[in-house]
Amino acid sequence: MILTAENYFSPENQLAYMGASQFKSFLACPAAALAEIRGEYRQEETTALLVGSFVDAYFEGTLDVFKAKHPALFKKDGGLKSDYVQAEQIIQRIERDEMFMRYMAGQKQVIMIGEIAGVPFKIKVDSFHPGRAIVDLKIMKDLEDAWNDAEGHRCPYWMNWGYDFQGAIYREIVRQNTGDTLPFMIAAATKQKTTRLQIGQIAPERLDYCLDIVKHEAPRFAAIKRGEIKAERCEQCDYCAETAVLSEIVEYREGA
Ligand SMILES: [Zn+2]
């Protein structure tokens, strides 16, 4: 089947292909990732996600269709809710910046497929500049470092959100399709009261490192999707909380 904008996230294609977000979901909690693929669990479509998609749709030139598909964007009086009014302000800020606009001027939402360690992967590039760069647009709360539980220290935002894994997967699939190993760039704009803009490039060595982890983990995640291996639970996320069954008493003691 040919992947299109319409069927990119269809249950069949989520099962057939691994994508960057799906890979990150598996890294965080295999049980939740699998439940989501099987349609047994749905991550809430948060306002934060919708704001990002709103801006994506604008740059793709499909904002009208996007608005028609998402009545949740509007208040009762037909005006946009404040989060999306802010999204429009972010768009206006971006449009005032020549360099940001140059990075956003590539081919929009380019879909490619490939294989990593024998596992079929799909990617969708926000702004693709053939032979030059892969650009992903991110609408962030801010660009500050934050505590990272897994690392045990504060880390840069792009690491906390796994954009290095996304970059590794995108760069590799683009390479397989075009023969070019391109820089993975993030065009970031923030939702702060006054929007910050930044064009970042994730260091190629970091992408190499992440690609090694993808090669190592993707076959196991694919086997979980095929039902050959049991999906471990993280016991930390909302899905694990929702499906937890109590079986023991926790003893509360001072200093324990
Ligand atoms: Zn979990």
Side-chain angles (χ1 to χ4, degrees), residues 235-248:
E235 302 299 357
Q236 306 284 331
C237 72
D238 289 341
Y239 170 77
C240 287
E242 201 176 295
T243 51
V245 180
L246 291 187
S247 63
E248 57 188 29

Side-chain angles (χ1 to χ4, degrees), residues 173-181:
I173 299 302
V174 167
R175 188 194 65 77
Q176 291 178 13
N177 282 269
T178 66
D180 300 323
T181 300

Side-chain angles (χ1 to χ4, degrees), residues 13-239:
N13 286 326
Q14 290 294 81
L15 196 60
Y17 295 94
M18 187 151 291
S21 331
Q22 193 182 96
F23 180 83
K24 287 191 287 175
S25 297
F26 270 103
L27 270 186
C29 179
L34 184 64
E36 207 175 339
I37 291 166
R38 288 183 172 167
E40 297 159 4
Y41 178 66
R42 254 195 86 183
Q43 299 268 19
E44 246 180 289
E45 195 168 46
T46 60
T47 305
L49 267 177
L50 268 183
V51 167
S53 308
F54 185 101
V55 180
D56 275 340
Y58 173 79
F59 282 104
E60 200 194 353
T62 54
L63 189 55
D64 288 342
V65 181
F66 183 81
K67 283 178 173 171
K69 271 192 195 160
H70 294 87
L73 304 180
F74 299 96
K75 297 185 292 192
K76 283 209 185 87
D77 71 6
L80 279 172
K81 287 182 186 163
S82 61
D83 289 294
Y84 308 104
V85 171
Q86 198 202 5
E88 290 191 319
Q89 288 162 355
I90 295 172
I91 291 166
Q92 286 163 14
R93 178 65 189 89
I94 290 173
E95 290 195 310
R96 292 213 317 269
D97 192 274
E98 202 195 317
M99 179 169 164
F100 204 110
M101 289 301 283
R102 232 176 23 244
Y103 279 90
M104 287 313 298
Q107 300 170 13
K108 303 297 187 312
Q109 306 299 332
V110 175
I111 293 171
M112 294 181 191
I113 56 172
E115 233 179 66
I116 299 174
V119 178
F121 268 82
K122 61 184 164 95
I123 64 168
K124 189 156 68 164
V125 183
D126 285 341
S127 177
F128 181 53
H129 300 257
R132 304 215 320 274
I134 304 159
V135 181
D136 204 69
L137 174 65
K138 301 290 189 195
I139 307 301
M140 306 300 302
K141 183 157 95 31
D142 57 47
L143 302 175
E144 304 301 318
D145 293 2
W147 178 261
N148 183 316
D149 248 346
E151 299 286 329
H153 53 83
R154 292 168 68 83
C155 287
Y157 85 91
W158 51 266
M159 204 184 270
N160 293 332
W161 288 92
Y163 299 155
D164 43 359
F165 283 102
Q166 182 189 358
I169 292 166
Y170 277 39
R171 188 185 61 163
E172 173 60 13
I173 299 302
V174 167
R175 188 194 65 77
Q176 291 178 13
N177 282 269
T178 66
D180 300 323
T181 300
L182 300 181
F184 179 73
M185 324 281 300
I186 292 178
T190 71
K191 290 186 275 191
Q192 283 150 297
K193 195 151 167 285
T194 305
T195 291
R196 270 70 168 171
L197 301 180
Q198 194 170 80
I199 304 288
Q201 177 182 348
I202 300 183
E205 313 83 73
R206 178 73 196 175
L207 300 183
D208 296 341
Y209 168 80
C210 290
L211 184 59
D212 278 345
I213 298 177
V214 175
K215 285 178 180 164
H216 187 260
E217 300 288 0
R220 186 166 66 87
F221 297 159
I224 293 173
K225 285 171 74 173
R226 292 192 302 267
E228 295 165 16
I229 309 179
K230 194 165 176 283
E232 318 93 281
R233 298 164 58 86
C234 74
E235 302 299 357
Q236 306 284 331
C237 72
D238 289 341
Y239 170 77

